[in-house]
Structures are given as structure tokens and as C-alpha cells.
Amino acid sequence: MPLLPYPLKLDFQLSLIQFQYVAIEDTCSSLLPLTCGVPQRSILGPLLFILHVNDIQTITDLSLIMFADDMNIFATGYCPLLLSYTLNVKLQSISEWFSANLLSLNVYKTCFMIFSKRKFPISTEMITCNGVALQRVRETTFLGVVISDNLKWKKQVDVVAQKVSNIVGILYRTCHVLDKDRLKLLYITYCCSVWSSPYKNGNLDRLFKLQKAVVHLISHSSYLDHSDPLFSSLKVIKIYDLTHCIYTDFYVQGS
């Protein structure tokens, strides 16, 4: 997106005044107006929230990746003790920024992960925020992709394989009533360049077997028929060819 040569000015008014109340069984409290915050389920809500938290980058030199109300912090270092001390200090400043901007940080949903070739003992009190020790996890979901601390993608492929298996079951039950064009539903592209590899491995072999089952169902072929002609006639790209295309395109764009 090109940068504007002048500051962007937004003029708008919220004509809808929101109220809140507390309900316990059949008893309700009185209504109180909401004088701050972002209106829920509004078109302007995401934009207002981004504008509200946009300047958090100015209070820390840590690397931040933000998407909606999710924030990921990245820090590097050689000494785990020194790194944890630095993180604790900077997390405190981030927490104070949240409080000053009428936001709350849910420390019980906040966790941390360590990427390292070396294994070293981690104290349960290593990373804290607002006096609460953060939980260390071995894997987490980042924008729909399961990331493990060993940077292997078996868990992510497990999730994708389960979804594809469900699709195979649906195709098996509908292949006798739907035509080929409506049955071509399997395109494994989401984050393929991240959790796949241009080289054959056990993870992609699992997905390729499921993909072959799909093309056999779509073409109403026997499971003994060779799959290469089926891929060609249906114009479905194999998972290996797809990853090669993505890596080639990434290399050309990055070079």
C-alpha cells in the first residue's frame, strides 16, 4: 500500500449509543452507557481498534506482529536469564501502556515459547507479567497454523489431514449425485509454503494419499487406476507440484 503524502483524517460520528447491564438468572441490573471502547459487531470496529493500538510500537523495541486483538512478541538473545530479565521489564511497560489506554491484557491466556537448538531447564517463574508467571508451551496456533517449538510441522499436517479426511468422507457420500466440477473441492493451499516442503517427506506423503483418494472419487475411477491421468484430466495440481510452484514464485519475487 503506498504511503499517503499527508495525514489521513477520519471524520465520523457514532449515532448508536451502547449500554451494558448484568443479568443473573431473572434479575437484571440498571443500564449504564458505554463511554469508551470499540462497538461490538460494527464495520468500523476493526479499524477503530487498529487505530487505538497502533502506537504500541512506539513504546518498545521488541518485534511485534499484530492481527486484530492478537499480539505476538519476538525477542532473541544468547543468555536465557538475561533474555528473560529484559522481557519481564519490557512486558511491564507494555502492560502499563495497556492500562493507560483502558485496555486489559489477559495474562492467563498469554504464554511463551522458546525456539532453540539447545535444551536448558526453564524456571516456572522465568517470564512474568503483572506478577503472574506465564505458561511455557510446546506448540501454539498462530493465524490458523500450528507452530511447534522444534519448528516441525507434524501437528499442522495432522490438522490438515483430519480436515481433508472429512472432505474425502463427504465426497464419498456425494460422488454419485454431483458432477465433477462440483466435486473438485480439494485445494490444499492455506499456508502451504510454511508447513510443507518442496521435497518428499512423510508429512506430504500422507496428504498426497488423501489427494489421490479425492481424484479417484471425483472421476468415479477404480482405486486401482493410475492417478496421474486423473490429475491431468481434472486439472488438479498435486501437493508436491503446488509446493514447488510456491517456492519458485517466492524465490523469483524475493530475488
Side-chain angles (χ1 to χ4, degrees):
M1 178 181 297
L3 295 178
L4 296 175
Y6 49 85
L8 178 63
K9 182 180 179 181
L10 296 176
D11 293 326
F12 56 85
Q13 290 183 350
L14 295 178
S15 59
L16 178 62
I17 301 177
Q18 292 191 332
F19 294 85
Q20 66 178 1
Y21 68 94
V22 178
I24 302 178
E25 295 182 352
D26 297 331
T27 304
C28 299
S29 66
S30 58
L31 295 176
L32 290 176
L34 292 176
T35 58
C36 62
V38 176
Q40 296 290 329
R41 303 180 187 89
S42 64
I43 298 177
L44 276 177
L47 175 60
L48 292 176
F49 184 82
I50 292 174
L51 293 175
H52 190 58
V53 301
N54 187 55
D55 62 338
I56 192 175
Q57 295 275 2
T58 62
I59 66 164
T60 179
D61 57 354
L62 295 174
S63 176
L64 304 181
I65 296 181
M66 302 180 63
F67 183 81
D69 59 346
D70 291 332
M71 181 173 65
N72 296 268
I73 302 175
F74 295 87
T76 60
Y78 293 100
C79 176
L81 296 179
L82 180 59
L83 181 60
S84 63
Y85 174 79
T86 303
L87 268 176
N88 288 334
V89 172
K90 295 184 178 182
L91 282 176
Q92 183 60 34
S93 64
I94 292 177
S95 177
E96 293 174 356
W97 182 91
F98 271 90
S99 299
N101 287 271
L102 302 179
L103 296 172
S104 60
L105 178 65
N106 192 336
V107 295
Y108 298 101
K109 289 185 178 180
T110 305
C111 57
F112 70 95
M113 181 183 296
I114 298 177
F115 302 96
S116 176
K117 293 182 179 180
R118 297 189 304 169
K119 294 182 179 180
F120 46 83
I122 300 298
S123 171
T124 56
E125 305 293 332
M126 184 175 183
I127 307 295
T128 60
C129 185
N130 293 337
V132 178
L134 304 184
Q135 179 187 8
R136 181 187 178 183
V137 296
R138 298 291 181 179
E139 61 185 45
T140 188
T141 302
F142 177 62
L143 299 182
V145 179
V146 181
I147 300 179
S148 303
D149 58 359
N150 56 7
L151 293 181
K152 296 183 179 180
W153 307 105
K154 183 179 182 303
K155 292 292 184 180
Q156 170 63 17
V157 174
D158 289 342
V159 174
V160 176
Q162 181 60 47
K163 293 181 180 179
V164 176
S165 298
N166 295 336
I167 295 176
V168 172
I170 295 173
L171 293 178
Y172 180 78
R173 293 189 294 270
T174 59
C175 63
H176 62 286
V177 295
L178 298 178
D179 55 29
K180 292 182 180 180
D181 291 334
R182 296 183 182 275
L183 288 173
K184 287 199 304 182
L185 302 175
L186 185 60
Y187 288 95
I188 312 173
T189 57
Y190 181 64
C191 286
C192 184
S193 60
V194 175
W195 52 257
S196 64
S197 167
Y199 304 101
K200 291 187 176 182
N201 56 53
N203 289 334
L204 287 189
D205 287 342
R206 294 166 54 197
L207 297 179
F208 184 56
K209 289 179 181 178
L210 291 170
Q211 199 178 23
K212 289 196 295 184
V214 168
V215 297
H216 280 87
L217 287 172
I218 294 176
S219 59
H220 304 281
S221 304
S222 169
Y223 71 94
L224 296 177
D225 293 341
H226 201 278
S227 61
D228 283 345
L230 303 180
F231 278 102
S232 178
S233 63
L234 294 175
K235 297 181 180 180
V236 174
I237 302 178
K238 298 178 183 179
I239 183 66
Y240 293 117
D241 297 334
L242 182 61
T243 53
H244 274 294
C245 292
I246 292 177
Y247 271 82
T248 302
D249 181 64
F250 176 78
Y251 176 76
V252 171
Q253 290 182 357
S255 59

